[in-house]
Amino acid sequence: MFLGKEVRLNRIVNPKSGRMLAITVDHPITRGMMPGLVDIRSVMRKVVAGKPDGITMHKGIAEKVFAPYAGQASIILKASAYSVQYHPTYDTPVADVEEAVRFGADAISVGCIVGGPDQAQQLTFLGKISKDAASAGMPLVAHIYPKGALIKDQHDAEVLAYAVRAGAELGVDIIKTMWSGSAESFRSVVDACPSIVALAGGEMGETLEDYLRMTRQALDVGMRGVTYGRFVWSHPHTSAVIKSLSALMHEDASVEAALKVYDRALEEEKDLQK
């Protein structure tokens, strides 16, 4: 491994826990203007205050919004995008490794949707950007989802295992995928992947406790990262949510202990507002 890649990985993967807590704010191209993400400057301020390891964002947001927080969290530069409305099974390239280096990113992130007729093109792109990232000493994160037209159940552990293993075969360092519904089934996904497996949030719960329990179950079967978005920045207390997740990820806290961290963070917020 190049020294530069090792340095960058140690910024996004906590050296103490060997895990990564990343927050994603790359949703508008994919899902439109979601209410919680309209005021991106306010969202960024709250996310950074929670002290995640990294924040996944597109290049325009990095340049226009993130600059005041440089050095307070790592940039994970998103280099592709799909749209649930316009091209739901094709993640198209929108940036490259050279730009990630120029923006000071500690990783580059791409999407790849497998299980459909567009899979071949997206794997071709993934293989190329893997080569480019390795040459630049840049860690590669991939959001690999089995959402192609030929997939019957995108949460099935077998197709999730295929998705994460495809990324590992092509040299991806950290692979984000979806929850399979249970710790027992998700274990088979983690076991299939020699790279770091990270969990997506999406619509897998309704409350903070739901997400904390899902995260705890995934950690217990070997998951080593989360890249959560919607449920974090749509929550009225974004920073406190991130701090509770950090307790799980980096201190190996129980769900109950993480909820206490959340409560303490709320009290600190109230004291600051006095």
Side-chain angles (χ1 to χ4, degrees), residues 124-216:
T124 298
F125 169 62
L126 185 60
K128 181 182 184 305
I129 204 161
S130 175
K131 176 186 175 183
D132 294 344
S135 296
M138 180 70 64
L140 176 59
V141 179
H143 304 195
I144 307 183
Y145 301 143
K147 292 185 175 183
L150 302 178
I151 301 295
K152 294 180 180 178
D153 178 5
Q154 59 192 238
H155 296 285
D156 179 78
E158 186 173 343
V159 296
L160 289 170
Y162 171 80
V164 298
R165 184 55 176 264
E169 297 279 344
L170 295 182
V172 180
D173 300 295
I174 301 170
I175 303 170
K176 173 183 174 181
T177 197
M178 299 179 295
W179 181 236
S180 59
S182 71
E184 182 180 359
S185 61
F186 199 71
R187 184 190 298 274
S188 67
V189 179
V190 175
D191 288 347
C193 185
S195 301
I196 293 175
V197 174
L199 190 60
E203 300 170 350
M204 299 307 293
E206 296 182 359
T207 67
L208 171 59
E209 185 171 350
D210 289 339
Y211 281 95
L212 291 176
R213 291 199 180 282
M214 178 180 69
T215 305
R216 182 68 265 171

Side-chain angles (χ1 to χ4, degrees), residues 249-266:
M249 298 298 298
H250 301 321
E251 299 171 26
D252 226 16
S254 65
V255 172
E256 291 72 22
L259 286 170
K260 290 179 180 178
V261 169
Y262 171 79
D263 290 337
R264 287 198 298 272
L266 284 189

Side-chain angles (χ1 to χ4, degrees), residues 126 221 233:
L126 185 60
V221 296
W233 43 253

Side-chain angles (χ1 to χ4, degrees), residues 75 77 95-109 138:
I75 295 174
L77 190 74
D96 58 28
V97 172
E98 182 182 349
E99 289 176 295
V101 172
R102 180 162 56 85
F103 279 107
D106 285 316
I108 190 166
S109 173
M138 180 70 64

